[in-house]
Amino acid sequence: MVLVPLHATPTDQPPPLTPTRLLTEWTWEWSMALGIAVAAGLYIAGMVALHRRGDHWPVGRSVSFLLGGLGSLGIATLSVLGTYDTVLLSVHMVQHMILMMVVPMFLALGAPVTLALRTLPPRPRTMLLAVLHSRLARVLTFAPLTLALFIATPFALYYSPFYELSLRSGFWHAFLHLHFIVIGALLMWPLMGIDPVPGRISYPLRLLMLFLMLPFHAFLGISIMSSTQLIAEDWYLAFNRTWPPSPIDDQYLAGGIMWASGDLIAL
């Protein structure tokens, strides 16, 4: 296993992405690794507390949260995806879709809020309930707002200078990862309807929201595929890569990934 720095720079010629490097090129981001470890530890502690008092916790929820949610978060940020996410737009797009759709979906299926409410001591539990019942929580989980933020985020990102800024700055790069997860969670938690969070809606409206999501991934993906102008052109051309795909072919592939994976995950 090879550990490489979190960010490449355009003046460095990155090593070609080969099938072997798909398994060996791991990156180290201590803040993300620590966050994953803390979240896993708290969830497991809640499971142990329930077990000790003889209560049952569904295995499927544990698998969803620990493996589906935190596992996919680790793959998106610490594996080869984290290594090449600033080098290839197609790799970044895979990471984007995992962080914004897969991770929040599985975390929501793990029902961590329910687990916390069943295991926290009285005072922290009261504080958590106060947050869940607050006006801010109701606003942030208001279905039309969360859907609008979910749809607007990729358009605002790829059609503005912020994407290139996130490539050049470690802080904004990490902020973008967090933003993807938060926006996805605000949509997915009420949509899944497992945890007692505000904003849960009826099943017909959940289906309506899913159908509203579908065309926007396709529209943006096709627009990226058909564009002859490179996204973050100065950044990607500065690498002067001698191995495929070319920047324009890579951008075409990235658009296809957004189109196909967005629709697939939503369905």
Side-chain angles (χ1 to χ4, degrees), residues 21 24 30 46 53 65 104 116 160 176 208 212 216 218 221 223 243 245 254 265:
R21 288 195 172 96
T24 60
W30 69 267
R53 71 188 192 200
F65 188 88
S160 76
L176 183 62
L208 176 62
L212 289 174
F216 290 97
S223 70
W243 45 273
I265 296 170

Side-chain angles (χ1 to χ4, degrees), residues 37-95:
V38 170
L42 291 174
Y43 195 90
I44 292 172
M47 293 166 50
V48 170
L50 280 181
H51 178 73
R52 285 179 175 173
R53 71 188 192 200
D55 291 340
H56 173 70
W57 184 252
V59 174
R61 290 185 180 180
S62 303
V63 172
S64 293
F65 188 88
L66 296 173
L67 295 183
L70 297 183
S72 59
L73 176 57
I75 290 173
T77 56
L78 303 177
S79 73
V80 66
L81 298 179
T83 304
Y84 282 86
D85 66 344
T86 59
V87 180
L88 294 170
L89 180 61
S90 57
V91 171
H92 161 82
M93 197 62 73
V94 174
Q95 183 187 65

Side-chain angles (χ1 to χ4, degrees), residues 115-129:
L115 181 62
L117 291 173
R118 292 180 61 182
T119 57
L120 283 174
R123 186 170 182 178
R125 185 176 184 275
T126 300
M127 294 173 63
L128 176 57
L129 286 171

